[in-house]
mmCIF file of all heavy atoms in Angstrom:
data_model
loop_
_atom_site.group_PDB
_atom_site.id
_atom_site.type_symbol
_atom_site.label_atom_id
_atom_site.label_comp_id
_atom_site.label_asym_id
_atom_site.label_seq_id
_atom_site.Cartn_x
_atom_site.Cartn_y
_atom_site.Cartn_z
ATOM 1 N N LYS A 22 -20.534 3.976 31.244
ATOM 2 C CA LYS A 22 -20.963 4.292 29.874
ATOM 3 C C LYS A 22 -19.900 5.148 29.211
ATOM 4 O O LYS A 22 -19.435 6.128 29.795
ATOM 5 C CB LYS A 22 -22.316 5.001 29.886
ATOM 6 C CG LYS A 22 -23.445 4.125 30.363
ATOM 7 C CD LYS A 22 -24.774 4.790 30.289
ATOM 8 C CE LYS A 22 -25.879 3.858 30.750
ATOM 9 N NZ LYS A 22 -27.192 4.484 30.666
ATOM 10 N N THR A 23 -19.515 4.777 27.970
ATOM 11 C CA THR A 23 -18.490 5.518 27.245
ATOM 12 C C THR A 23 -18.990 5.880 25.854
ATOM 13 O O THR A 23 -20.083 5.508 25.464
ATOM 14 C CB THR A 23 -17.218 4.639 27.126
ATOM 15 O OG1 THR A 23 -17.550 3.385 26.543
ATOM 16 C CG2 THR A 23 -16.560 4.390 28.469
ATOM 17 N N GLY A 24 -18.119 6.561 25.118
ATOM 18 C CA GLY A 24 -18.475 6.989 23.762
ATOM 19 C C GLY A 24 -19.038 8.397 23.785
ATOM 20 O O GLY A 24 -19.390 8.946 24.833
ATOM 21 N N LYS A 25 -19.155 8.963 22.595
ATOM 22 C CA LYS A 25 -19.594 10.372 22.453
ATOM 23 C C LYS A 25 -21.005 10.561 23.016
ATOM 24 O O LYS A 25 -21.287 11.555 23.672
ATOM 25 C CB LYS A 25 -19.552 10.734 20.969
ATOM 26 C CG LYS A 25 -19.708 12.219 20.720
ATOM 27 C CD LYS A 25 -19.579 12.532 19.250
ATOM 28 C CE LYS A 25 -19.797 14.033 18.979
ATOM 29 N NZ LYS A 25 -19.719 14.313 17.544
ATOM 30 N N HIS A 26 -21.890 9.593 22.723
ATOM 31 C CA HIS A 26 -23.278 9.728 23.152
ATOM 32 C C HIS A 26 -23.583 8.812 24.356
ATOM 33 O O HIS A 26 -24.748 8.550 24.654
ATOM 34 C CB HIS A 26 -24.225 9.391 21.992
ATOM 35 C CG HIS A 26 -24.015 10.279 20.821
ATOM 36 N ND1 HIS A 26 -24.384 11.602 20.821
ATOM 37 C CD2 HIS A 26 -23.428 10.047 19.608
ATOM 38 C CE1 HIS A 26 -24.066 12.130 19.647
ATOM 39 N NE2 HIS A 26 -23.487 11.215 18.893
ATOM 40 N N LYS A 27 -22.497 8.300 25.025
ATOM 41 C CA LYS A 27 -22.625 7.428 26.187
ATOM 42 C C LYS A 27 -23.533 6.239 25.940
ATOM 43 O O LYS A 27 -24.389 5.895 26.734
ATOM 44 C CB LYS A 27 -23.128 8.236 27.401
ATOM 45 C CG LYS A 27 -22.264 9.386 27.808
ATOM 46 C CD LYS A 27 -21.011 8.913 28.502
ATOM 47 C CE LYS A 27 -20.113 10.044 28.957
ATOM 48 N NZ LYS A 27 -18.918 10.218 28.217
ATOM 49 N N THR A 28 -23.333 5.604 24.798
ATOM 50 C CA THR A 28 -24.167 4.449 24.430
ATOM 51 C C THR A 28 -23.422 3.127 24.638
ATOM 52 O O THR A 28 -24.040 2.082 24.727
ATOM 53 C CB THR A 28 -24.601 4.538 22.966
ATOM 54 O OG1 THR A 28 -23.462 4.800 22.153
ATOM 55 C CG2 THR A 28 -25.654 5.622 22.768
ATOM 56 N N LYS A 29 -22.080 3.216 24.679
ATOM 57 C CA LYS A 29 -21.301 1.958 24.843
ATOM 58 C C LYS A 29 -21.226 1.594 26.318
ATOM 59 O O LYS A 29 -20.973 2.443 27.160
ATOM 60 C CB LYS A 29 -19.888 2.144 24.254
ATOM 61 C CG LYS A 29 -19.911 2.373 22.764
ATOM 62 C CD LYS A 29 -18.532 2.717 22.253
ATOM 63 C CE LYS A 29 -18.590 3.013 20.759
ATOM 64 N NZ LYS A 29 -17.304 3.461 20.266
ATOM 65 N N GLN A 30 -21.462 0.309 26.608
ATOM 66 C CA GLN A 30 -21.496 -0.131 28.014
ATOM 67 C C GLN A 30 -20.630 -1.329 28.253
ATOM 68 O O GLN A 30 -21.016 -2.268 28.959
ATOM 69 C CB GLN A 30 -22.947 -0.440 28.404
ATOM 70 C CG GLN A 30 -23.874 0.732 28.255
ATOM 71 C CD GLN A 30 -25.280 0.419 28.742
ATOM 72 O OE1 GLN A 30 -25.534 -0.640 29.288
ATOM 73 N NE2 GLN A 30 -26.194 1.335 28.531
ATOM 74 N N TRP A 31 -19.414 -1.344 27.718
ATOM 75 C CA TRP A 31 -18.541 -2.532 27.849
ATOM 76 C C TRP A 31 -17.544 -2.383 29.001
ATOM 77 O O TRP A 31 -16.927 -3.345 29.396
ATOM 78 C CB TRP A 31 -17.796 -2.811 26.546
ATOM 79 C CG TRP A 31 -16.957 -1.679 26.058
ATOM 80 C CD1 TRP A 31 -17.369 -0.668 25.270
ATOM 81 C CD2 TRP A 31 -15.574 -1.449 26.294
ATOM 82 N NE1 TRP A 31 -16.350 0.210 24.994
ATOM 83 C CE2 TRP A 31 -15.210 -0.260 25.615
ATOM 84 C CE3 TRP A 31 -14.591 -2.119 27.009
ATOM 85 C CZ2 TRP A 31 -13.928 0.262 25.649
ATOM 86 C CZ3 TRP A 31 -13.301 -1.604 27.055
ATOM 87 C CH2 TRP A 31 -12.990 -0.426 26.366
ATOM 88 N N LYS A 32 -17.406 -1.175 29.526
ATOM 89 C CA LYS A 32 -16.451 -0.973 30.615
ATOM 90 C C LYS A 32 -17.103 -1.285 31.977
ATOM 91 O O LYS A 32 -18.294 -1.066 32.150
ATOM 92 C CB LYS A 32 -15.943 0.483 30.641
ATOM 93 C CG LYS A 32 -14.788 0.710 29.737
ATOM 94 C CD LYS A 32 -14.089 1.996 30.079
ATOM 95 C CE LYS A 32 -12.905 2.222 29.168
ATOM 96 N NZ LYS A 32 -12.013 3.241 29.623
ATOM 97 N N ARG A 33 -16.256 -1.771 32.919
ATOM 98 C CA ARG A 33 -16.740 -2.061 34.245
ATOM 99 C C ARG A 33 -15.840 -1.429 35.281
ATOM 100 O O ARG A 33 -14.604 -1.536 35.182
ATOM 101 C CB ARG A 33 -16.771 -3.588 34.486
ATOM 102 C CG ARG A 33 -17.730 -4.331 33.579
ATOM 103 C CD ARG A 33 -19.173 -4.109 33.984
ATOM 104 N NE ARG A 33 -20.094 -4.832 33.102
ATOM 105 C CZ ARG A 33 -20.580 -4.343 31.955
ATOM 106 N NH1 ARG A 33 -20.198 -3.140 31.540
ATOM 107 N NH2 ARG A 33 -21.454 -5.034 31.233
ATOM 108 N N LEU A 34 -16.433 -0.791 36.298
ATOM 109 C CA LEU A 34 -15.678 -0.182 37.408
ATOM 110 C C LEU A 34 -15.779 -1.132 38.592
ATOM 111 O O LEU A 34 -16.871 -1.450 39.034
ATOM 112 C CB LEU A 34 -16.259 1.187 37.768
ATOM 113 C CG LEU A 34 -15.525 1.972 38.844
ATOM 114 C CD1 LEU A 34 -14.237 2.593 38.281
ATOM 115 C CD2 LEU A 34 -16.429 3.058 39.397
ATOM 116 N N VAL A 35 -14.645 -1.589 39.107
ATOM 117 C CA VAL A 35 -14.634 -2.498 40.242
ATOM 118 C C VAL A 35 -14.950 -1.716 41.509
ATOM 119 O O VAL A 35 -14.256 -0.722 41.816
ATOM 120 C CB VAL A 35 -13.254 -3.224 40.371
ATOM 121 C CG1 VAL A 35 -13.261 -4.182 41.545
ATOM 122 C CG2 VAL A 35 -12.940 -3.951 39.086
ATOM 123 N N THR A 36 -15.969 -2.139 42.254
ATOM 124 C CA THR A 36 -16.417 -1.389 43.453
ATOM 125 C C THR A 36 -15.857 -1.981 44.731
ATOM 126 O O THR A 36 -16.191 -1.510 45.821
ATOM 127 C CB THR A 36 -17.949 -1.378 43.514
ATOM 128 O OG1 THR A 36 -18.418 -2.712 43.563
ATOM 129 C CG2 THR A 36 -18.553 -0.663 42.334
ATOM 130 N N LYS A 37 -15.041 -3.035 44.626
ATOM 131 C CA LYS A 37 -14.485 -3.675 45.845
ATOM 132 C C LYS A 37 -12.993 -3.378 45.961
ATOM 133 O O LYS A 37 -12.383 -2.906 44.998
ATOM 134 C CB LYS A 37 -14.692 -5.207 45.775
ATOM 135 C CG LYS A 37 -16.138 -5.627 45.601
ATOM 136 C CD LYS A 37 -16.926 -5.407 46.866
ATOM 137 C CE LYS A 37 -18.398 -5.747 46.685
ATOM 138 N NZ LYS A 37 -19.214 -5.343 47.793
ATOM 139 N N ALA A 38 -12.423 -3.707 47.101
ATOM 140 C CA ALA A 38 -10.969 -3.526 47.327
ATOM 141 C C ALA A 38 -10.197 -4.427 46.387
ATOM 142 O O ALA A 38 -10.608 -5.540 46.109
ATOM 143 C CB ALA A 38 -10.632 -3.864 48.770
ATOM 144 N N THR A 39 -9.068 -3.920 45.889
ATOM 145 C CA THR A 39 -8.246 -4.704 44.928
ATOM 146 C C THR A 39 -6.794 -4.652 45.315
ATOM 147 O O THR A 39 -6.373 -3.777 46.081
ATOM 148 C CB THR A 39 -8.418 -4.179 43.481
ATOM 149 O OG1 THR A 39 -8.109 -2.776 43.490
ATOM 150 C CG2 THR A 39 -9.794 -4.423 42.931
ATOM 151 N N PHE A 40 -6.034 -5.578 44.735
ATOM 152 C CA PHE A 40 -4.577 -5.548 44.878
ATOM 153 C C PHE A 40 -3.964 -5.658 43.495
ATOM 154 O O PHE A 40 -4.357 -6.531 42.704
ATOM 155 C CB PHE A 40 -4.073 -6.702 45.740
ATOM 156 C CG PHE A 40 -2.567 -6.875 45.691
ATOM 157 C CD1 PHE A 40 -1.721 -6.036 46.394
ATOM 158 C CD2 PHE A 40 -2.010 -7.831 44.866
ATOM 159 C CE1 PHE A 40 -0.364 -6.166 46.312
ATOM 160 C CE2 PHE A 40 -0.623 -7.980 44.766
ATOM 161 C CZ PHE A 40 0.194 -7.157 45.506
ATOM 162 N N VAL A 41 -3.054 -4.739 43.168
ATOM 163 C CA VAL A 41 -2.327 -4.824 41.900
ATOM 164 C C VAL A 41 -0.821 -4.880 42.233
ATOM 165 O O VAL A 41 -0.395 -4.384 43.275
ATOM 166 C CB VAL A 41 -2.627 -3.642 40.935
ATOM 167 C CG1 VAL A 41 -4.059 -3.689 40.486
ATOM 168 C CG2 VAL A 41 -2.288 -2.329 41.595
ATOM 169 N N GLY A 42 -0.048 -5.532 41.378
ATOM 170 C CA GLY A 42 1.381 -5.723 41.634
ATOM 171 C C GLY A 42 2.178 -4.433 41.711
ATOM 172 O O GLY A 42 1.654 -3.344 41.441
ATOM 173 N N GLU A 43 3.440 -4.572 42.049
ATOM 174 C CA GLU A 43 4.332 -3.423 42.261
ATOM 175 C C GLU A 43 4.525 -2.626 40.982
ATOM 176 O O GLU A 43 4.393 -1.405 40.953
ATOM 177 C CB GLU A 43 5.682 -3.929 42.794
ATOM 178 C CG GLU A 43 6.564 -2.853 43.384
ATOM 179 C CD GLU A 43 5.970 -2.197 44.616
ATOM 180 O OE1 GLU A 43 5.507 -2.887 45.508
ATOM 181 O OE2 GLU A 43 5.999 -0.947 44.648
ATOM 182 N N GLY A 44 4.850 -3.326 39.899
ATOM 183 C CA GLY A 44 5.136 -2.599 38.652
ATOM 184 C C GLY A 44 3.937 -2.507 37.709
ATOM 185 O O GLY A 44 4.045 -2.573 36.503
ATOM 186 N N PHE A 45 2.722 -2.352 38.273
ATOM 187 C CA PHE A 45 1.485 -2.338 37.484
ATOM 188 C C PHE A 45 1.336 -1.039 36.715
ATOM 189 O O PHE A 45 1.506 0.051 37.263
ATOM 190 C CB PHE A 45 0.298 -2.553 38.407
ATOM 191 C CG PHE A 45 -1.035 -2.420 37.715
ATOM 192 C CD1 PHE A 45 -1.498 -3.386 36.857
ATOM 193 C CD2 PHE A 45 -1.831 -1.288 37.927
ATOM 194 C CE1 PHE A 45 -2.719 -3.251 36.208
ATOM 195 C CE2 PHE A 45 -3.041 -1.132 37.294
ATOM 196 C CZ PHE A 45 -3.500 -2.126 36.432
#
């Protein structure tokens, strides 16, 4: 939840293992 009053719910937190490239 984001925004001043925590009303926006468009963000997602990935709860699994991930791989990102070298120059990410």
Side-chain angles (χ1 to χ4, degrees):
K22 293 184 179 180
T23 53
K25 191 176 179 183
H26 301 289
K27 300 286 182 252
T28 50
K29 295 173 183 175
Q30 300 184 6
W31 57 274
K32 274 197 180 194
R33 297 287 179 272
L34 183 77
V35 181
T36 58
K37 303 288 176 190
T39 54
F40 168 77
V41 294
E43 195 63 47
F45 173 74

